[in-house]
Amino acid sequence: GGGGCPLLLRFAFPDWAYKPESSPGSRQIQLWHFILELLQKEEYQGVIAWQGDYGEFVIKDPDEVARLWGIRKCKPHMNYDKLSRALRYYYNKRILHKTKGKRFTYKFNFSKVVLVNYPLLEVGSAPFLLAPCPGGAHGPDCPPLTPEVLLGGREMGGGGG
DNA sequence: ATCGGAATTT
DNA sequence: AAATTCCGAT
């Protein structure tokens, strides 16, 4: 099954990043997942990279990031104006905020350094993959890599509450 | 460049 | 619900 969109990209990311598009309340990969994917890969250092404070990153080539995002979502008319609008929707969700005074610079609201030794992730240049798990990547104290863990126990989808 | 409302799409 | 499209204001 599945739509006919891009099959070119399969990153080492866990299942929650790829919920089936047809299931209720689910969608394709979210923009902030995609941003993390790019940040994780050294080949995109010239396009987007960690820079400055912890969790802070700069979009060095806005047009290129928008182009890549457009490819992923099959939106050939994607541009930075539209991509950045989607990023701004993350402000109220507390996923991102803008670093004021720094051009094209945003910051993830990571609450803690909790991402550790995850077997599916290339550690690479990500500054939040630092603390080792007490019992190793599969130990009892090593949290699973979920959006809640990533952003600090926040519920990502609405629902009752 | 950055922001955020509004309508629309998915 | 998340994103896309469009756009006036700062």
Side-chain angles (χ1 to χ4, degrees):
Chain A
C5 226
L7 311 191
L8 7 125
L9 310 166
R10 274 295 171 197
F11 291 89
F13 238 65
D15 287 346
W16 54 260
Y18 303 97
K19 292 176 185 174
E21 53 189 293
S22 55
S23 70
S26 297
R27 7 188 197 254
Q28 293 189 333
I29 186 168
Q30 281 164 247
L31 178 56
W32 66 274
H33 298 171
F34 180 76
I35 295 291
L36 286 175
E37 285 180 1
L38 294 183
L39 287 167
Q40 175 191 25
K41 294 189 157 257
E42 284 196 36
E43 58 198 281
Y44 294 109
Q45 288 266 323
V47 172
I48 185 172
W50 298 109
Q51 192 166 108
D53 282 347
Y54 168 77
E56 197 172 86
F57 64 94
V58 56
I59 297 174
K60 299 178 179 177
D61 189 340
D63 292 338
E64 179 63 6
V65 172
R67 193 184 68 86
L68 294 169
W69 177 234
I71 290 171
R72 171 61 74 87
K73 292 290 294 290
C74 286
K75 292 288 177 183
H77 302 299
M78 181 52 58
N79 58 34
Y80 181 70
D81 178 62
K82 289 184 276 196
L83 185 150
S84 64
R85 182 67 187 93
L87 291 180
R88 289 194 292 276
Y89 273 127
Y90 288 150
Y91 299 169
N92 283 340
K93 294 183 178 184
R94 304 260 221 126
I95 292 173
L96 286 182
H97 63 82
K98 186 75 180 70
T99 298
K100 289 171 182 174
K102 290 188 181 180
R103 222 178 170 207
F104 305 125
T105 301
Y106 301 81
K107 189 174 172 179
F108 276 97
N109 292 330
F110 295 133
S111 57
K112 293 177 184 175
V113 182
V114 286
L115 292 189
V116 285
N117 294 355
Y118 199 77
L120 293 181
L121 272 180
E122 296 280 339
V123 175
S125 58
F128 52 90
L129 298 168
L130 295 176
C133 267
H138 300 282
D141 295 323
C142 193
L145 186 60
T146 64
E148 290 77 18
V149 169
L150 195 66
L151 294 173
R154 235 167 252 118
E155 177 71 56
M156 291 302 298

